[in-house]
Amino acid sequence: MTVVHNCSTTGSAVMMASLNFGLLQKSEFYWLYISGTLREGFSVGTTPHYEDVVYDSRTLPLWDPRRCPRVFFWDQNSVSFYVSLLDGQQEFEKPIVYADNNIINATLSGPASDGGNINATSDAKELIVDFECISNGKIHIIIKIPIPGYEPVYFGFSKVCQMNVININVGTFQYGDDVVSDGQPTLMWAKAVHNAFILPNEQETVFWLSAHDHNETVLIQDIQIETDSKICEPYIDEDAEANSFVVVYDCFSSGDSIMKASLIYPEPYQQIDFYWTKRSGQSVFGLKIGTSPGDDDVVLNGKAVPAYHPFLHTAIVLGSELETPFYMEMNLPKTSAQIKSITISLDSDNLGDCQPLILGNISNGGIVEYNITTKFFAQYNCEKEGKTTIKITVKLSSRTIDFEYNKLSGGTRRYLNIGTLPGYGDIVNNGVTLPLWNIDVPGFRKISGGIKNISFYLQMSVNTSQTYVSPVVSLSEHILEYKITPETNGVITYDEPTVFILEMNCTSVGQTLITITLPIRPFNLEIWAFYKMCGITRQGFNIGTKPNDHNVAYNGAASLLWKSGDGVSFDGNHLGTRFYIQETDGTQHILPMEISSTNSICAPYINNNITTVDMNIQIFDIIYNCHESGQTSIQLDIGLSGSYLPIGMLWNKVVGGKRGGLMVGSQNNGKDIVDNGTVSDDWRYNSSSIHTVGPMNYTIDFHFSINPIEGTLDNNQTIKRIIVTSEPSIFNIERNYLNNSIISDIDPKILKINYNCLAPLTSIVNITVELYAFDSVKISHKKICPGAKKGLFIGTTAEHSDVVKNGVYTEKWGLKTYNHTEDGSTIQISFWIWMEKGSIPIPIEKIYISQIGAECDPRIIYDLKSVTDVPQKFTVDYNCISGSISIFTVGVKMDDEYSDPSFRWIKRIGGIRKGFNIGTSMLKDDVVRNGIVLPPWQWNPEAEKIVGEWVKASEFYIWMSDNSFTQLFGKPKIISSSCKFDILGKAENGGVASTNGTLLLVNYQCNKISSSIFQVDVDISPFQPVSFYWQKISNGKQLGINIVVDEEPYYGSEIVVINGRTQDQWNPKVGPLATVTTQDIRTNFTLSITDSKFKKYESVNISKIEIETDPKLCAKNEFIAGFSLKNDDSFTYAIEYTNNCNNVTSNITTTIYFDGYKTTTYNYLRIVNDEPYKLPTWAIVLIVIGILLVILGIILLCNFCVLKRDPEYSSLLGSTNERLILQNH
């Protein structure tokens, strides 16, 4: 049966179909038909301006009037809805409520109940639905809101009416109501949901009974327990405590059983039923596996998390990890899991040549218990560089758990240190060769001719080990003989260092580059190098730290104190060292001197690099150029021309400590605050006589200068930064910034501080001066602030002074007591400021803001000249980029003698980004709505959203629903489990989401792959990123469908498709051979599924039905996408013919698309019959015969009537000549 609606105007109608079966009861059913267009922006919500019921005139699934899944139970007598508009203005008519009056009386009230006008700037109008139950039952209540010129809006919900209910509570704890509350089962224990679970380890459950009023007595006639399976035989334990009953399960096999408990009461009260699921046998629910104790980053509740899921396995183990520990435990009390075995295997190309093993006692079976951690290891044994996919299978008695991840091998060997002393890493640190020993960096370490042996100490910095092959030594010049011991392979450990000794015996004069290569499979080779000098010393060549002194080097050789690295040390006040050099025996040319630091805290350089030395004393300086505290070794190498050995010097430099020579005063060149790096007592934090700045002083100056220390080359100092804080923070401090400024003896600097008082209190001001290469200097003083301005108010609205009252902050917004918190979705906040009525306006100098915590750049938006008795608005734009939480402080600087009114609050950063949407078409939000991923795009191992094989590309539009805001988003990260793809569109590299929408296009390049899981991650920092998923079908299966055409309604139907195969006469590859000759405006087709491989309750989604015609536009189809069809079900669709092709024969091709299955296509010729209808020959013969029989009957009837009127009628009846007389007549 096909119903043609044939609507002529916009609107809606409730349709009724009535089926009359004669003597049987008549059957009726109803549906709603809507014609017209949708009013975009028209919304309905359960709270003002919240679109959780109707969005853009589209009803959300929870309020679908066809199913009414939202349920209100018997204890709720009304519900409120709010009608609003996102843009423009709109009139709506008086809403209508539909309900069964035999069960409930439903009425409408509130401002929206009479209809009216709404616009984008007005408040939402409230619509209240009041209902009064008349009898028991569950009914649907449907609300209709007519919108002139547009389709009306429908939404609905279900209401449960249950009268004569005893107000009793049932709980799993004493006086609890988590099972039954006020006589009504809770959602978890209701029949429709029964989502409560009793775990296998629990053999019984205690239920506690209590009245709504604890003093009330409730009589229970009986308690009954039932189950739907043969797994358990539950019964009620009669020995339970008072006001409770115990259900004993007595289960004897594994599986799930639905339990039903019934509380029976005397008439007229109804019995109360509640349901739950009892699990028996072993369960993996609660089993977790993590990479650290107590963690669940690998397996949670018996399922691999996405990063370790076999479809995705994006987790990576770095090449430096030779083995990975995994920790197992149960996270639910009284639960355990029986592990049969744990195995490891390779799930892809073994590029790293790995031979993995599982270590640990649990690998051969065991018990995993609650709160007891069981550990096992995956050991990789890789031989070369590459990537390998590792698969670990945990086999339990009832099932297996698989998880996979990627193992990298090769690269730098982390935790490996090589040094010149035990425990040092001055050659190789954490697997990386340092610059002084690196063959790729100029300026190698040089070993003088006097050193014949050098030791190398190899050790791991964490508790692990590493095998090595005997090191290889190479020379650039063969001027010496060498030997390295030991020459065998070995193991480097954490406990004791492994020592190599290199012996060197010079055979000729010169220098050679010695390179040592240490193979450590599967990691990169460790290579380090140095120069070895061979030759004689230069007599008469002397170096000293004073004129005519040779305490540094004498006769071409460094003194013992200057070559060991431990004999000489300079403290933090030495910014440089001056050296005096002389040659007493002629003239000596010097090669370019080389200076280096073993630690990156200093970058030393040579001032006045000397090239020739004679009997005249010459001077050069070493400037240390340090920027961090610590300790380093400075090496200076001076090469001499000819065959002379170079001179190598090594000494220590300490960086940090007190900065001698630093002066700070309240006047120019003063030192009353800081003298020679020491803070005076009056300016210390804990001083009893701390310096005080009075209430009328709003500024203070600090003069910084340097007093040079003799012999240290100390005449300047760089300030890293200056931090100014107060305790409590009662004012906003303004100052000039001296960050990275240089103070010298001839260029002092001034720090100027202005105080903007926020409250009439006394505070301690702390000034922390951070210096490069020295300890910080902390200067403190006391500041007294004046009183507050009465009659001044600040509020979050123009009507409420909830922020500042009479010039003083409220407790919620106080500088100490602040507890107002803005959630992560807000990006700005507005305030109103005013004076009490009749006050004289006060000029505003500025409104200032400060912030600590997250990475934000807040700005004040205002256009205020003065504060008046009329509320005026100013706005704080947070402009946060990253972080989790931030504290904001705002102050208003006015031209008066009072403290600045100020306040403080907390702002959370991140969370869900409201207004951020992603849709499959422009301004559609069917993928992400208000920052939340919608079903079926949420994470699922099999991805509920299916994209058919015919789809070549998927479009996603990223946009904001509020035209007041935009949102930056990063480059979308897209991964696919097995299908190649291209990313196109303006959103390819990230961008700005606005109301215009930005296109992200995923172009598929799948080759002979049945399906692939796609994942898209969009970073919208500082908000919570969004990730959505779908499954792309590339080669779907054939579905067992049947299609028949109702070609001649009076004489039966013709088969088009049977069991998924298109009949030859309907097959586009053969025909078109099939014809449909009709004058009707449509042809009906019926589609059904009879697939034996289809599960009983499984359904398939029909994505679309496409019609192609030749000539074009001859037919159309009104099929609504997304129709689901179950096995053995059928539905009828119509191909409607247009007026474009009434006089021609048209070729019509129909293609039906199924999610996850192959498409089905058929075609036929539609022939228009313009002649009158001709009856078949056999029909004409039957009609003629019928007419003849009627004529014959009439003749016989007339003869009979004539005979009856004859006078001789009586005698004729008795005559023996009856037959003859009748013939005469």
Side-chain angles (χ1 to χ4, degrees), residues 358-488:
I358 291 292
L359 304 178
N361 296 332
I362 194 68
S363 63
N364 296 320
I367 301 293
V368 178
E369 298 180 287
Y370 168 69
N371 219 17
I372 298 178
T373 301
T374 303
K375 183 178 180 182
F376 68 92
F377 293 88
Q379 189 180 81
Y380 304 112
N381 302 315
C382 300
E383 291 295 328
K384 60 183 181 180
E385 186 173 359
K387 185 177 81 169
T388 301
T389 300
I390 301 294
K391 177 180 181 181
I392 294 181
T393 300
V394 180
K395 186 175 183 181
L396 297 95
S397 59
S398 58
R399 54 167 289 188
T400 60
I401 301 172
D402 294 328
F403 61 91
E404 296 184 12
Y405 55 94
N406 299 310
K407 173 67 180 78
L408 304 180
S409 54
T412 300
R413 180 54 168 114
R414 288 201 300 170
Y415 314 122
L416 173 61
N417 293 335
I418 303 176
T420 55
L421 292 172
Y424 273 46
D426 55 328
I427 299 176
V428 173
N429 189 281
N430 204 27
V432 178
T433 305
L434 299 183
L436 198 59
W437 301 80
N438 195 326
I439 195 171
D440 296 323
V441 179
F444 296 111
R445 176 71 184 269
K446 294 182 179 179
I447 306 299
S448 64
I451 298 177
K452 294 185 177 181
N453 300 326
I454 184 170
S455 298
F456 302 104
Y457 296 85
L458 290 72
Q459 194 168 8
M460 305 303 294
S461 61
V462 298
N463 192 9
T464 185
S465 62
Q466 175 63 52
T467 59
Y468 67 87
V469 179
S470 179
V472 178
V473 180
S474 61
L475 308 176
S476 63
E477 303 291 337
H478 294 279
I479 61 173
L480 56 81
E481 295 178 350
Y482 68 88
K483 180 182 179 182
I484 191 166
T485 55
E487 296 182 347
T488 58

Side-chain angles (χ1 to χ4, degrees), residues 922-966:
M922 182 68 77
L923 302 185
K924 194 174 183 180
D925 57 358
D926 54 333
V927 180
V928 176
R929 180 182 300 144
N930 280 323
I932 299 176
V933 180
L934 302 178
W937 299 86
Q938 296 171 350
W939 162 249
N940 185 297
E942 297 180 356
E944 293 183 10
K945 178 61 181 177
I946 297 177
V947 176
E949 62 176 326
W950 64 90
V951 179
K952 304 303 180 183
S954 290
E955 293 182 354
F956 300 97
Y957 290 86
I958 303 174
W959 61 286
M960 294 293 295
S961 56
D962 190 334
N963 58 12
S964 302
F965 302 113
T966 59

Side-chain angles (χ1 to χ4, degrees), residues 62-351:
L62 187 62
W63 303 87
D64 188 337
R66 294 171 295 182
R67 304 191 310 273
C68 296
R70 180 68 169 94
V71 179
F72 293 99
F73 290 100
W74 64 275
D75 57 341
Q76 186 164 351
N77 297 320
S78 66
V79 61
S80 293
F81 300 95
Y82 296 86
V83 181
S84 61
L85 197 67
L86 297 180
D87 58 356
Q89 63 179 4
Q90 180 61 53
E91 177 189 2
F92 66 96
E93 297 177 357
K94 183 176 181 178
I96 303 171
V97 60
Y98 299 97
D100 187 347
N101 294 331
N102 294 322
I103 296 178
I104 196 170
N105 282 333
T107 58
L108 299 179
S109 61
S113 62
D114 294 325
N117 288 284
I118 53 174
N119 56 61
T121 60
S122 64
D123 292 337
K125 290 197 173 185
E126 184 180 15
L127 178 65
I128 304 172
V129 183
D130 299 298
F131 24 75
E132 178 184 1
C133 289
I134 301 174
S135 61
N136 295 326
K138 179 180 179 182
I139 63 167
H140 291 175
I141 298 177
I142 300 174
I143 309 298
K144 172 186 175 182
I145 303 179
I147 306 174
Y150 297 95
E151 295 181 10
V153 166
Y154 287 87
F155 60 93
F157 54 89
S158 297
K159 169 68 176 135
V160 176
C161 286
Q162 191 169 354
M163 307 180 69
N164 296 327
V165 175
I166 291 184
N167 293 342
I168 192 172
N169 298 333
V170 181
T172 55
F173 54 93
Q174 196 166 15
Y175 300 114
D177 61 351
D178 55 319
V179 179
V180 174
S181 179
D182 287 343
Q184 183 68 35
T186 61
L187 187 62
M188 294 284 289
W189 298 78
K191 180 179 181 180
V193 179
H194 61 267
N195 202 25
F197 289 91
I198 303 299
L199 297 178
N201 59 300
E202 300 183 41
Q203 305 302 321
E204 62 184 27
T205 301
V206 179
F207 295 98
W208 294 87
L209 305 171
S210 61
H212 182 73
D213 182 355
H214 290 177
N215 296 321
E216 182 182 356
T217 301
V218 177
L219 177 63
I220 299 177
Q221 187 170 325
D222 191 14
I223 300 176
Q224 299 176 357
I225 182 74
E226 303 175 36
T227 182
D228 68 338
S229 71
K230 298 181 180 180
I231 297 175
C232 304
E233 294 181 355
Y235 61 90
I236 303 295
D237 188 353
E238 297 180 355
D239 295 331
E241 296 183 36
N243 297 326
S244 70
F245 66 95
V246 179
V247 176
V248 181
Y249 296 108
D250 196 13
C251 299
F252 42 83
S253 62
S254 298
D256 287 355
S257 302
I258 305 298
M259 298 289 171
K260 173 187 175 184
S262 300
L263 307 184
I264 311 299
Y265 297 95
E267 294 290 342
Y269 297 107
Q270 298 183 9
Q271 72 178 41
I272 299 175
D273 300 328
F274 55 92
Y275 300 77
W276 70 96
T277 301
K278 173 67 178 82
R279 287 181 169 168
S280 55
Q282 188 183 30
S283 173
V284 296
F285 190 83
L287 175 64
K288 64 180 181 179
I289 303 176
T291 54
S292 58
D295 208 348
D296 55 7
D297 56 332
V298 178
V299 171
L300 177 62
N301 287 330
K303 295 182 179 180
V305 302
Y308 286 83
H309 196 279
F311 283 140
L312 301 177
H313 56 80
T314 57
I316 294 176
V317 174
L318 299 178
S320 58
E321 298 186 29
L322 302 182
E323 61 184 23
T324 301
F326 293 98
Y327 302 84
M328 306 174 63
E329 66 177 80
M330 303 298 292
N331 60 9
L332 295 176
K334 301 180 181 179
T335 58
S336 63
Q338 174 69 48
I339 306 298
K340 286 193 172 184
S341 64
I342 302 177
T343 57
I344 189 169
S345 59
L346 306 177
D347 198 36
S348 66
D349 295 335
N350 189 7
L351 301 180

Side-chain angles (χ1 to χ4, degrees), residues 992-1192:
V992 179
S994 65
T995 53
N996 294 328
T998 305
L999 173 63
L1000 174 67
L1001 181 67
V1002 181
N1003 189 19
Y1004 302 114
Q1005 298 179 5
C1006 305
N1007 297 320
K1008 297 182 179 180
I1009 300 171
S1010 60
S1011 66
S1012 179
I1013 304 297
F1014 277 80
Q1015 174 183 343
V1016 176
D1017 299 322
V1018 182
D1019 182 14
I1020 50 174
S1021 297
F1023 299 98
Q1024 178 178 313
V1026 295
S1027 298
F1028 56 95
Y1029 307 79
W1030 72 93
Q1031 183 178 177
K1032 174 68 176 73
I1033 304 299
S1034 300
N1035 188 14
K1037 298 180 293 184
Q1038 180 63 58
L1039 182 65
I1041 68 166
N1042 307 306
I1043 300 176
V1044 297
V1045 57
D1046 193 2
E1047 184 180 1
E1048 294 182 334
Y1050 294 102
Y1051 311 118
S1053 302
E1054 182 178 346
I1055 295 176
V1056 179
V1057 178
I1058 184 168
N1059 199 26
R1061 181 180 178 275
T1062 304
Q1063 300 298 290
D1064 289 343
Q1065 66 270 29
W1066 295 84
N1067 196 328
K1069 298 179 180 179
V1070 178
L1073 298 178
T1075 60
V1076 174
T1077 304
T1078 180
Q1079 289 181 312
D1080 293 339
I1081 63 172
R1082 66 180 55 80
T1083 299
N1084 294 331
F1085 293 85
T1086 300
L1087 186 149
S1088 61
I1089 299 178
T1090 54
D1091 195 330
S1092 60
K1093 298 179 181 178
F1094 227 38
K1095 296 179 181 178
K1096 182 177 181 181
Y1097 297 105
E1098 191 173 358
S1099 62
V1100 65
N1101 190 52
I1102 302 174
S1103 299
K1104 58 181 177 178
I1105 298 178
E1106 284 186 353
I1107 307 295
E1108 294 183 6
T1109 66
D1110 184 16
K1112 295 183 177 179
L1113 304 177
C1114 289
K1116 62 180 181 179
N1117 172 255
E1118 300 298 333
F1119 173 75
I1120 300 176
F1123 186 85
S1124 293
L1125 191 64
K1126 293 182 179 180
N1127 203 13
D1128 293 330
D1129 282 352
S1130 64
F1131 89 103
T1132 299
Y1133 60 95
I1135 306 299
E1136 298 189 4
Y1137 306 114
T1138 65
N1139 296 327
N1140 299 334
C1141 305
N1142 283 342
N1143 300 320
V1144 296
T1145 298
S1146 52
N1147 185 354
I1148 298 177
T1149 301
T1150 303
T1151 303
I1152 305 175
Y1153 295 86
F1154 303 92
D1155 283 349
Y1157 295 91
K1158 288 184 177 297
T1159 59
T1160 294
T1161 303
Y1162 62 89
N1163 77 335
Y1164 61 92
L1165 293 176
R1166 185 226 179 183
I1167 301 174
V1168 180
N1169 185 4
D1170 292 330
E1171 299 178 1
Y1173 184 75
K1174 296 180 180 180
L1175 289 175
T1177 302
W1178 56 268
I1180 295 174
V1181 171
L1182 287 177
I1183 292 174
V1184 172
I1185 294 173
I1187 293 173
L1188 293 175
L1189 290 175
V1190 170
I1191 294 172
L1192 180 60

Side-chain angles (χ1 to χ4, degrees), residues 827-831 847 859-862 873-877:
I827 63 175
Q828 60 179 215
I829 185 172
S830 296
F831 301 95
I847 302 177
R859 288 170 293 189
I860 298 286
I861 304 172
Y862 68 97
K873 177 182 173 183
F874 63 91
T875 301
V876 175
D877 191 346

